[in-house]
Amino acid sequence: MGLQSLVITPDRIGKSLGRILPHAMSKHCLGLLGMTEKQKKNTGTKTVYRRYLPKGATTSNPNQFFQNGTGDRTAAYVAQHLTQDGVTPMAETLTPQDIEVEQKEHGFAYGFTNRTAEMSEDPIPKIMEEMLGDRIGLVREMTLFGVLKGCTNKFYGGTGTSRATVNGRLTLQLLRKVERSLKANHSTPARKLLRPIPASGNYATAPTKACYPVFVSSDLSPDVRDLPNFIDVSKYGNPALAVENEIGSCEEFRFIWSPDLIPVQDSGAAVAGTVPALYSTSGTNADVYQVVVGTEDAWGHLELDIGKNDISLLPAGQKDKTDILGQRGYVGAITKYNAVRLNEGQMAVVEVGASALTD
């Protein structure tokens, strides 16, 4: 394990000491949405969520009462419930759908020498605690992002039918396809996260309703602003009701950005000849961004109910048989967290390219 020492962090002897500058902070957005489950201690490593399926629904299609088929499906549904005089309907059973998630643990540690703690001009242990706090948040957000990217309700930019064939950016037509899918799955907008915002008496303000939140990479902000019917957050009747990092709205959607929703580099179609030109890290194949569209309870967060994540400080100077001179100190943390998709049909992942902004 590496130890922060005076060699690694030299003092600024003979120089004017400027302030310690802020470091880049992760932007968390996906965790704004979803059901939070507090797992009790000593109940095993796994949690099982359960729903019961309505009549007509299936475990592979749990949100729709009318499965694909020919003929008048609504009349057929009604016919299943007609009774005959004096004949008791046949008893039925409920079908459960179980969704299992396993608790995960992540650990972090920094080390420092006693000379660093005693002689450095910088408060190294305190800075380490601050850095660990941000890393915990980023690891949890990326865990959630990784789970959500596995959603089976997928849409692709341009004429693409898979990630490797993505050759278009985020468009209104693509979003309308997502809207149609979500509504067909009996979803509702995220009213807790994105409340309706009425228009105000100020000039050129516009109302927004409870919309589906769309979580996008900051690289896609220009494409979002290019959408027809886009309303910038500054035009909301009360911009203060927007969530942090909200860009604006378009029809049934409101957009929230983060630079941490990074693309899969060079994984799309060839960028040569695409109009508008798509961004590529290598200049050959499009970087593919995974845009997450959510609803109120489409995913969940599993935490262990032991209070807050514990960041521990073992100061230098504590002597034992492993450190008889007390020369080493540590700052460490453990977080227990995992995420789970709870309703595939009531969320979506849209895989698209980003404009290269060369025009």
Side-chain angles (χ1 to χ4, degrees), residues 44-164:
T45 61
K46 295 181 179 179
T47 295
V48 179
Y49 296 81
R50 172 171 291 176
R51 72 163 50 89
Y52 284 94
L53 301 180
K55 174 70 173 178
T58 66
T59 53
S60 60
N61 203 357
N63 306 308
Q64 297 183 13
F65 314 139
F66 308 102
Q67 304 304 314
N68 293 334
T70 58
D72 188 338
R73 292 177 292 159
T74 57
Y77 189 87
V78 173
Q80 294 176 38
H81 298 82
L82 292 175
T83 62
Q84 300 180 29
D85 188 19
V87 179
T88 303
M90 183 176 294
E92 300 179 72
T93 59
L94 294 174
T95 301
Q97 181 185 33
D98 289 347
I99 301 170
E100 184 178 283
V101 58
E102 185 173 9
Q103 185 62 267
K104 301 293 185 182
E105 181 178 277
H106 301 90
F108 319 79
Y110 284 119
F112 57 92
T113 65
N114 65 315
R115 287 169 60 84
T116 299
E118 297 163 356
M119 301 180 184
S120 174
E121 64 195 17
D122 301 330
I124 294 298
K126 181 177 182 297
I127 294 173
M128 287 178 169
E129 291 186 60
E130 294 172 354
M131 299 290 281
L132 275 186
D134 191 52
R135 281 177 65 187
I136 289 172
L138 182 58
V139 166
R140 289 165 66 100
E141 181 82 347
M142 292 302 98
T143 298
L144 176 55
F145 190 32
V147 169
L148 300 185
K149 288 188 292 187
C151 175
T152 57
N153 193 24
K154 277 199 166 62
F155 299 81
Y156 300 95
T159 59
T161 56
S162 65
R163 181 177 303 162

Side-chain angles (χ1 to χ4, degrees), residues 143-263:
T143 298
L144 176 55
F145 190 32
V147 169
L148 300 185
K149 288 188 292 187
C151 175
T152 57
N153 193 24
K154 277 199 166 62
F155 299 81
Y156 300 95
T159 59
T161 56
S162 65
R163 181 177 303 162
T165 58
V166 166
N167 60 356
R169 57 180 180 165
L170 192 66
T171 64
L172 183 55
Q173 188 76 348
L174 191 53
L175 287 168
R176 285 172 173 170
K177 290 179 181 179
V178 173
E179 176 193 347
R180 180 168 60 188
S181 170
L182 294 179
K183 288 182 175 178
N185 279 277
H186 292 82
S187 68
T188 55
R191 296 183 180 275
K192 295 178 184 177
L193 173 65
L194 300 178
R195 296 170 291 169
I197 301 176
S200 72
N202 297 327
Y203 177 74
T205 63
T208 66
K209 50 190 172 182
C211 295
Y212 295 110
V214 183
F215 301 98
V216 301
S217 166
S218 52
D219 292 355
L220 297 179
S221 296
D223 294 334
V224 170
R225 292 191 174 94
D226 282 344
L227 293 171
N229 309 322
F230 175 76
I231 300 171
D232 189 86
V233 69
S234 63
K235 300 297 184 182
Y236 289 0
N238 185 354
L241 294 180
V243 300
E244 186 177 4
N245 297 329
E246 185 171 346
I247 307 170
S249 68
C250 180
E251 297 190 358
E252 297 280 346
F253 301 95
R254 286 165 63 180
F255 302 87
I256 304 156
W257 65 268
S258 168
D260 300 322
L261 304 183
I262 58 176

Side-chain angles (χ1 to χ4, degrees), residues 268-346:
V271 296
T274 54
V275 180
L278 297 181
Y279 181 77
S280 168
T281 298
S282 68
T284 303
N285 291 87
D287 291 1
V288 176
Y289 295 81
Q290 291 147 307
V291 175
V292 178
V293 186
T295 56
E296 201 71 70
D297 300 319
W299 58 79
H301 314 270
L302 181 62
E303 302 175 351
L304 190 61
D305 193 9
I306 56 173
K308 296 182 179 179
N309 295 302
D310 186 22
I311 297 180
S312 303
L313 169 63
L314 298 179
Q318 294 185 356
K319 301 176 181 179
D320 58 30
K321 64 176 65 176
T322 63
D323 187 10
I324 195 169
L325 300 180
Q327 294 174 291
R328 297 181 292 275
Y330 300 96
V331 177
I334 280 181
T335 183
K336 295 177 175 64
Y337 175 82
N338 205 356
V340 58
R341 300 187 306 277
L342 297 173
N343 199 318
E344 301 271 357
Q346 293 188 354

